[in-house]
Amino acid sequence: MKDLEQALAAVASIFTDNMPYNDFLNLKVISMTAEKTEIEVPWSDAFIGNAHHKILHGGVTASILDCVGGLMVAADIVTRSESLEKAVLLNKLSNLGTIDLRTDFLRPGRGEVFVASAHLIRAGRKVAVARMEMHNEKGEHIAFGTGTYLVG
Amino acid sequence: MKDLEQALAAVASIFTDNMPYNDFLNLKVISMTAEKTEIEVPWSDAFIGNAHHKILHGGVTASILDCVGGLMVAADIVTRSESLEKAVLLNKLSNLGTIDLRTDFLRPGRGEVFVASAHLIRAGRKVAVARMEMHNEKGEHIAFGTGTYLVG
Amino acid sequence: MKDLEQALAAVASIFTDNMPYNDFLNLKVISMTAEKTEIEVPWSDAFIGNAHHKILHGGVTASILDCVGGLMVAADIVTRSESLEKAVLLNKLSNLGTIDLRTDFLRPGRGEVFVASAHLIRAGRKVAVARMEMHNEKGEHIAFGTGTYLVG
Amino acid sequence: MKDLEQALAAVASIFTDNMPYNDFLNLKVISMTAEKTEIEVPWSDAFIGNAHHKILHGGVTASILDCVGGLMVAADIVTRSESLEKAVLLNKLSNLGTIDLRTDFLRPGRGEVFVASAHLIRAGRKVAVARMEMHNEKGEHIAFGTGTYLVG
C-alpha cells in the first residue's frame, strides 16, 4: 500500500512539475486516491478574463477542471496497474488523453483559492468518465464539469 | 456600415488588450463579422500540457475555443444593437458570459499557429449558441467545440 | 405550504398526463420539491435499442434524463413564483425549454424499473442548469446527465 | 465496391428492422456511406412533448441525433473492416455504443418530416466522434448534436 501511495505521489509530481501550463496555473495536488482527487489553484491576476469584473477567464476554469479530471483518471490507472514500476506506469499514462470536456460555469470566478475535485463515474479499460467541481475558499460553487478520457 | 466596422474593431480590442489571460494566450483577432469570427494564437512553450509529447494542454485549447465563441456572440450583439455608442455596447456586453462549453479534442495539439473560428447556431435575446473549430497552420483539425452563452 | 404542494402536484400531472411521449415512456413522478425531483419509468420492450442485448435505446435514456431535469427546473419556477395561480404558473412554464443536454451513458440500460433524479446546480432568472442521474432497481448507475434550460 | 454497398445496406436494415424503439420512431435510412449518413423520421403525434405547442419532445430529438450518429460510426466500421462477412461485421458492431451525447436544441421541433445527418470528426480504433444536425422539411435547423462513441 505504501508503494501505491509513492507511485501516486510520483504521478502527481509529473502533473505539477513537468507541465509548463500547470506551472502557469500554479497547480498543487491536495489529494490523489482511487476514490477522489483534489487540487488547489491560488488566484493570480494573470487569470483575469474580464478586466472590469476581475473574474477568472472561462478557459482557466475549464483548464483546472480538465486537470483534476485527468488526475483522477491517472489515479485509477495507477491503482489498477498490476505493476507499479515507473516504466510500466509511464507507458500506461502516455496514452491518457481528454476526448471531450463539458464545463458548466455557475458563478463568476472570484476568490483567493480555487479548490477542484473529481470522482470517476465510469472506469473502463478504454474510456473513463469523471465528474468535477470547483469551489472557492468560501465554499461557493464556481463550476462543474464532465470529462471523457481515453485510457490505455 | 463603417460605424459598425469601427464598433466591432473596438470590441475586438477589448478582447485582446484588456484581458490579462488573453494576453498570455497572445490572441489576435483575424476577422469579426456577424457571420463568423476568427482568431489566431501562435505556439508558445508555456502552453505545453505534455512535456514528453510537446503538445498543447487541453485547457489552452478549451480557452481558445471559448474566446472565439464569445467573440462571435459579441459580434452578434454589436451587429444587432440599435445603437453603436460605446456606453450602450459596453453595457450590453457586460452581461455576456459562457454558460457551458463542450470541447472535443480530436488530434494532439501540435503546430506553429492555431487558427480558431466560430459561427452562431442560435442567436436569441437571452441565449446564444456557437460552434467552434480549431486548426493548425497545416489545416489539421485539432479540436471542435460548442458553447452556450448568456446574452443581454 | 399546502398550496405550494398542490401547485407542484398540478405541474407534475401536466408532465405525466398531457404529453403523449411521456405517456409512451409511462413516466411517473415520485417526488417533486424545490430541492430534488425523482421519476420512475418501468421497463418496456418498446424501449429496446439493441435487440441482441435487450438494452435501452440511448434515446430513451436521454429522454428520461431530459424529463427529470425539466421537472426540476419547473419545480424551481413554481417554488419561486410570487403567485401560485394556475394561469400565472402556466404562463411562466410555457417558456421553459431545454437549451442543451449532455448525456453520459455508463452501463447497459438493463433493469425492471429505472429511477431518475435531478438537482439544480444553477437557478437563474434566465437560465437554469440541472444535473441528473439514472439508476435501475438494483441501484446500478445507468447514466448521468447535465441539462441547461431556458427559464421565464 | 458492390459488396461494400450491400454490407452497408445490411447494417442499415439492422437499425431499422431489429430495434423496437427505432420502429416507434419510424426511422428510415436515406443514405449511409463512409462520408455521411442521413435518416428521415416522419412526424407522429406520439412524439409530442408539449401538448400546447405541439412540438417534439426533446428526448425524441436526442434519440434521432443519437441514431444518425451511431449509424455514421457503423458505416465507418464497415468501410474500414478488412472483411465484409456478416459474422465479422456483427462482431465488430456489437461493441459499438454511445459514450456521451450533447444535444443542442435550436428551434421548436415542428414539421412534417425530420431529416438528420451526421459526419465523423474523429475516427479512431477505440473512440469515434460524430457531429449531427436535424432539419425539418423546410430546411429549418431544429437541433445540432455531438456524440462520442465506443468502437471495437
Side-chain angles (χ1 to χ4, degrees):
Chain A
M1 210 51 178
K2 207 184 153 211
D3 286 352
L4 176 58
E5 275 172 40
Q6 282 175 347
L8 288 168
V11 171
S13 73
I14 297 174
F15 268 72
T16 49
D17 301 346
N18 285 339
M19 295 187 188
Y21 184 70
N22 288 351
D23 202 45
F24 166 74
L25 292 178
N26 203 359
L27 185 158
K28 190 176 151 192
V29 178
I30 304 295
S31 71
M32 184 180 180
T33 70
E35 279 74 41
K36 191 182 172 184
T37 54
E38 201 169 47
I39 64 175
E40 209 178 84
V41 171
W43 171 266
S44 158
D45 284 351
F47 301 159
I48 293 177
N50 185 316
H52 187 61
H53 293 300
K54 295 216 173 175
I55 53 179
L56 287 185
H57 192 287
V60 174
T61 302
S63 299
I64 294 172
L65 292 176
D66 187 33
C67 285
V68 74
L71 201 67
M72 180 71 253
V73 178
D76 183 59
I77 292 172
V78 171
T79 305
R80 295 201 292 169
S81 178
E82 69 287 349
S83 158
L84 293 177
E85 269 184 64
K86 199 180 173 185
V88 174
L89 292 181
L90 285 181
N91 182 255
K92 282 176 188 271
L93 292 170
S94 70
N95 293 315
L96 170 59
T98 313
I99 299 171
D100 64 61
L101 174 72
R102 172 174 171 130
T103 308
D104 293 283
F105 302 93
L106 304 181
R107 285 187 188 76
R110 288 195 190 90
E112 289 166 31
V113 184
F114 301 101
V115 180
S117 60
H119 68 278
L120 282 184
I121 59 173
R122 175 181 186 144
R125 280 173 306 115
K126 294 173 192 162
V127 168
V129 182
R131 276 193 150 188
M132 296 81 83
E133 29 192 293
M134 188 176 99
H135 302 74
N136 63 13
E137 77 284 355
K138 293 176 190 166
E140 293 171 327
H141 273 51
I142 307 287
F144 281 80
T146 309
T148 300
Y149 297 86
L150 193 63
V151 177
Chain B
M1 210 51 178
K2 207 184 154 211
D3 287 351
L4 176 58
E5 276 172 39
Q6 282 174 346
L8 288 169
V11 171
S13 73
I14 297 174
F15 268 71
T16 50
D17 302 345
N18 286 339
M19 295 188 189
Y21 183 70
N22 288 351
D23 202 45
F24 166 74
L25 292 178
N26 203 0
L27 184 157
K28 191 175 152 193
V29 178
I30 304 296
S31 72
M32 184 181 179
T33 71
E35 279 75 42
K36 191 182 172 183
T37 54
E38 201 168 46
I39 64 175
E40 209 177 83
V41 172
W43 172 267
S44 158
D45 285 349
F47 300 159
I48 293 177
N50 185 316
H52 187 62
H53 293 300
K54 294 214 173 176
I55 53 180
L56 287 185
H57 191 286
V60 174
T61 302
S63 299
I64 294 172
L65 292 177
D66 187 34
C67 284
V68 76
L71 201 67
M72 180 70 253
V73 177
D76 184 59
I77 291 172
V78 172
T79 306
R80 295 201 292 169
S81 178
E82 69 287 349
S83 159
L84 293 175
E85 272 184 61
K86 198 180 174 185
V88 174
L89 292 181
L90 284 181
N91 182 254
K92 281 177 189 272
L93 292 171
S94 70
N95 293 314
L96 171 58
T98 314
I99 299 171
D100 64 61
L101 174 72
R102 173 175 169 129
T103 308
D104 293 284
F105 302 93
L106 304 180
R107 285 186 189 76
R110 288 195 190 90
E112 289 166 30
V113 184
F114 302 101
V115 180
S117 61
H119 68 278
L120 282 184
I121 58 173
R122 174 179 185 146
R125 280 173 306 114
K126 293 173 194 163
V127 169
V129 182
R131 275 193 151 189
M132 296 82 83
E133 31 191 292
M134 188 176 100
H135 302 74
N136 63 13
E137 78 284 356
K138 294 175 191 165
E140 293 170 328
H141 273 54
I142 307 287
F144 281 80
T146 310
T148 300
Y149 297 85
L150 193 64
V151 177
Chain C
M1 211 50 177
K2 207 182 153 213
D3 286 351
L4 177 58
E5 275 173 39
Q6 282 174 348
L8 289 168
V11 171
S13 72
I14 297 174
F15 268 71
T16 50
D17 302 345
N18 286 339
M19 294 187 189
Y21 184 71
N22 286 353
D23 202 44
F24 166 74
L25 292 179
N26 203 359
L27 184 157
K28 191 175 149 193
V29 177
I30 303 295
S31 71
M32 183 179 180
T33 71
E35 278 75 42
K36 190 183 174 184
T37 55
E38 200 168 47
I39 64 175
E40 207 177 87
V41 172
W43 171 268
S44 159
D45 284 350
F47 300 159
I48 294 176
N50 185 316
H52 187 63
H53 293 300
K54 295 216 173 174
I55 53 178
L56 287 185
H57 191 287
V60 174
T61 302
S63 299
I64 294 172
L65 293 177
D66 187 32
C67 284
V68 75
L71 201 67
M72 181 70 252
V73 178
D76 185 59
I77 291 172
V78 172
T79 305
R80 295 200 293 170
S81 178
E82 69 288 347
S83 156
L84 294 176
E85 270 184 63
K86 200 181 172 184
V88 174
L89 292 182
L90 285 181
N91 182 255
K92 281 177 188 272
L93 292 171
S94 70
N95 294 314
L96 170 59
T98 314
I99 299 170
D100 64 61
L101 174 72
R102 172 173 171 130
T103 308
D104 292 283
F105 302 93
L106 304 180
R107 286 186 188 77
R110 288 196 190 89
E112 290 167 28
V113 184
F114 302 101
V115 180
S117 61
H119 69 277
L120 282 184
I121 58 174
R122 175 181 185 143
R125 281 173 306 113
K126 293 173 192 162
V127 169
V129 182
R131 276 193 150 188
M132 296 82 82
E133 30 191 293
M134 188 176 98
H135 301 75
N136 63 13
E137 77 284 355
K138 294 176 191 165
E140 293 170 329
H141 274 52
I142 307 288
F144 281 80
T146 309
T148 300
Y149 297 85
L150 193 64
V151 176
Chain D
M1 213 47 179
K2 207 183 154 211
D3 287 351
L4 176 58
E5 276 173 39
Q6 282 174 347
L8 288 168
V11 171
S13 72
I14 297 175
F15 268 72
T16 50
D17 301 346
N18 287 338
M19 294 187 189
Y21 184 70
N22 287 352
D23 201 46
F24 166 74
L25 292 178
N26 203 359
L27 184 157
K28 193 176 150 192
V29 177
I30 303 296
S31 71
M32 184 180 179
T33 71
E35 278 74 42
K36 190 183 173 184
T37 55
E38 200 168 47
I39 64 175
E40 207 177 87
V41 171
W43 170 267
S44 159
D45 285 350
F47 300 159
I48 293 176
N50 185 315
H52 187 64
H53 293 302
K54 295 216 174 176
I55 53 179
L56 287 185
H57 191 287
V60 174
T61 302
S63 299
I64 294 171
L65 292 176
D66 187 33
C67 285
V68 74
L71 201 67
M72 181 70 252
V73 178
D76 184 58
I77 291 172
V78 172
T79 305
R80 295 200 293 170
S81 178
E82 69 288 348
S83 158
L84 293 177
E85 271 184 63
K86 200 181 173 184
V88 173
L89 293 181
L90 284 181
N91 182 255
K92 281 176 188 274
L93 292 171
S94 70
N95 294 313
L96 170 59
T98 314
I99 299 171
D100 64 61
L101 173 72
R102 174 174 169 130
T103 308
D104 292 284
F105 302 93
L106 304 180
R107 284 186 189 78
R110 289 195 189 90
E112 290 166 29
V113 184
F114 302 100
V115 180
S117 61
H119 69 279
L120 282 183
I121 58 173
R122 174 181 185 143
R125 281 173 307 113
K126 293 173 193 163
V127 169
V129 182
R131 276 194 150 188
M132 296 82 82
E133 30 191 292
M134 188 176 99
H135 302 75
N136 63 13
E137 77 283 356
K138 295 175 190 164
E140 293 171 328
H141 274 51
I142 308 287
F144 282 80
T146 310
T148 301
Y149 297 86
L150 193 63
V151 177

